[in-house]
Amino acid sequence: MGVEVAVRGLTKSFGGQPVWSDISLTLPAGEISVLLGPSGTGKSVFLKTLVGLLRPDRGDIVIEGRNLPRLSERDLYEVRKLFGVLFQDGALFGSMNIYDNVAFPLREHTRRSESEIRAVVTEKLDMVGLVGAEKKLPGEISGGMRKRAGLARALVLDPQIVLFDEPDSGLDPVRTAYLNQLIIDLNQRTEATFLIVTHDINTARTVPDNIGLIYHGHLAMFGPREMLLSSTEPVVRQFLNAQRIGPIGMAEEKDAEELQAEAQAGAELPPLPPIPVQLQPSDGRRRRAERPPGQWCRDHGVEPPPGSFAGPDGQRTVELPAFLTRDGVPG
Amino acid sequence: MSGPAVLRESGHFFAFCLDTLRGLGRRPVQVREFVQQAWFISSVSILPAALVSIPFGAVIALQLGSLVRQLGAQSFTGAASVLAVVREAGPIVTALVIAGAGGSAICADLGSRKIREELDAMQVLGIDPIQRLVVPRVLASMLVAVLLNGLVSVVGVSGGYLFNVVMQGGTPGAYLASFQALGQLPDLLVGEVKALLFGAAAALIASYKGMTAKGGPKGVGDAVNQSVVLTFMALFALNFVVTAVYFQVVPQKGS
Ligand SMILES: Nc1ncnc2c1ncn2[C@@H]1O[C@H](COP(=O)(O)OP(=O)(O)OP(=O)(O)O)[C@@H](O)[C@H]1O
Ligand SMILES: [Mg+2]
């Protein structure tokens, strides 16, 4: 069972230059959360702060009653055993081949025999589709393969909290689809808490239970997927729908002039696209954290955009719960 | 770098050295890494050390040979050149080679691991890079420095002996006897102590610089460059201190 991560008032700067400040959010135990944000807003820094690789200037990160920024180095190493982290570039050990990389945590932290290790490593490599590449060195494989090997290594100790730094960048669309399914299935099986940093809008819209958006040095919004996908907050709306119209410009923030010009040109916001259904586990059974489609919208009296929670061809891919049909919500 | 920055950096380095010291006692001892590193450092440093020490021994023999003749103390040629090689030239050659060959390799290795985030990954996997990577490197570097110092001394002394006896027409008996008269066991020991300290300092500085490298591949290059320069300066300063202490503490024969 996953554990909850509670972040309160977290602030981080480098040499007086703030990266983000006053971030407060709770990653609910066992749920999948996605963190979005323009390039360079400090998403990777946030992940590194969560595992205690970087010390925040201020704020608390509470995991199982322990406040990470206050822990001694030794206790920090204890808490880190809860974590599995996939780094942005895989961070494989360059001097070891893929097999030894994935086996490394097992050899360091468990007393398992080599044959048991082989079984676990092969299972994880099979899961990420890297069987046959065991003998290769990290320098000899593609970026996407390095990333998948990094994922296998991050998962090998069955962590309670898994942080993914852009698991899908550098992967082809088919692999990305497989990876997203893998994330859902993993979450169903392990019930660990997942935090995924991604730039892939499709991933962000269909995979998580919660979405957060870092923008301009602070957390613009964090909440259930349907809340952000139905939000009309300009930044959230622009980012989640990958539009040019809105407050985000090429250089992070548009200046007032540009915004005014946009307004004068009568740039009209396109309507919110329909909210897609969430990706389901491949065995058809529910994930523990999964909520019925449309529940959040109904509970909060929000009208989802027309066509929401329907399959790509207008067909419902999931059986709608009774309340939706009863209330006559279009679908 | 400004004053406060230098102070802060020194503070960090000092803390790093303490962490390494603490890592020495921590289990499990990284025997494999230690053996690999010792092998690696010796493989990059033995040949240059041997090649440097032959001409170094010869130059010292040449210099001292003529100086001693000018002073009219030919009978002490042997003692002078052996003592010079064992006390000073050996440790200095060792320092140059350990810093230039061993230290730069350590720094480049750890630096590239740092920028590839391997060190972060290691910490997240619950392994302390200081205990796992730095401690074995420091120990290996100390061991290799001591062995290297022995090698340099032997090669340098033989070089000087050959030079003095064969080319300058000295007598073998006088060469050895004069050493008996002025040299003593602590001379050899202080050379080895110096080498031990040099090995530790070179590996510590190289590891520190490597592990704090930042800014991509260029950052690693800068770190290696700085580490070699800093190590040279540190080792020569250390050499001076140890020598000064040695002459204060150990009474010299014949004085
Ligand atoms: N160790 C560090 N020292 C100083 N500045 C840093 C450090 N790490 C990151 N930064 C700075 O913090 C900012 C955020 O970097 P970060 O890598 O977290 O961005 P990101 O949101 O992950 O971007 P991307 O989506 O491109 O990966 C950048 O401006 C970067 O220069
Ligand atoms: Mg990043």
Side-chain angles (χ1 to χ4, degrees), chain A residues 14 19 37-46 54 88 166 199, chain B residues 214:
Chain A
F14 286 114
V19 183
S39 221
T41 41
K43 303 179 297 296
S44 299
V45 170
F46 184 71
L54 294 171
Q88 194 157 352
E166 302 192 14
H199 284 300
Chain B
K214 52 172 168 277

Side-chain angles (χ1 to χ4, degrees), chain B residues 41-53 97 101 144 148 151-152:
Chain B
I41 299 176
S42 22
S43 71
V44 295
S45 55
I46 285 185
L47 194 62
L51 290 181
V52 169
S53 53
V97 172
V144 175
L148 216 54
L151 174 83
V152 172

Side-chain angles (χ1 to χ4, degrees), chain A residues 176-196:
Chain A
T176 305
Y178 272 115
L179 183 81
N180 287 345
Q181 189 65 56
L182 177 65
I183 288 174
I184 292 281
D185 290 350
L186 271 175
N187 180 261
Q188 178 196 33
R189 215 175 63 214
T190 63
E191 293 184 358
T193 308
F194 284 17
L195 178 61
I196 306 168

Side-chain angles (χ1 to χ4, degrees), chain A residues 48 51 53 74 77 80 85 87-89 91-95 104-105 108-109 153, chain B residues 26 28 30 113 115-129 132:
Chain A
K48 286 185 187 170
V51 272
L53 288 172
R74 181 174 295 253
Y77 275 108
R80 283 204 191 113
V85 181
F87 285 89
Q88 194 157 352
D89 299 311
L92 298 177
F93 302 131
S95 55
F104 180 84
E108 291 291 330
H109 289 301
R153 189 181 64 187
Chain B
R26 222 163 303 143
Q30 301 294 328
R113 287 174 194 243
I115 60 158
R116 282 202 304 257
E117 295 184 317
E118 280 187 31
L119 301 182
D120 287 344
M122 204 171 245
Q123 276 173 284
V124 170
L125 292 172
I127 290 154
D128 179 4
R132 169 85 192 191

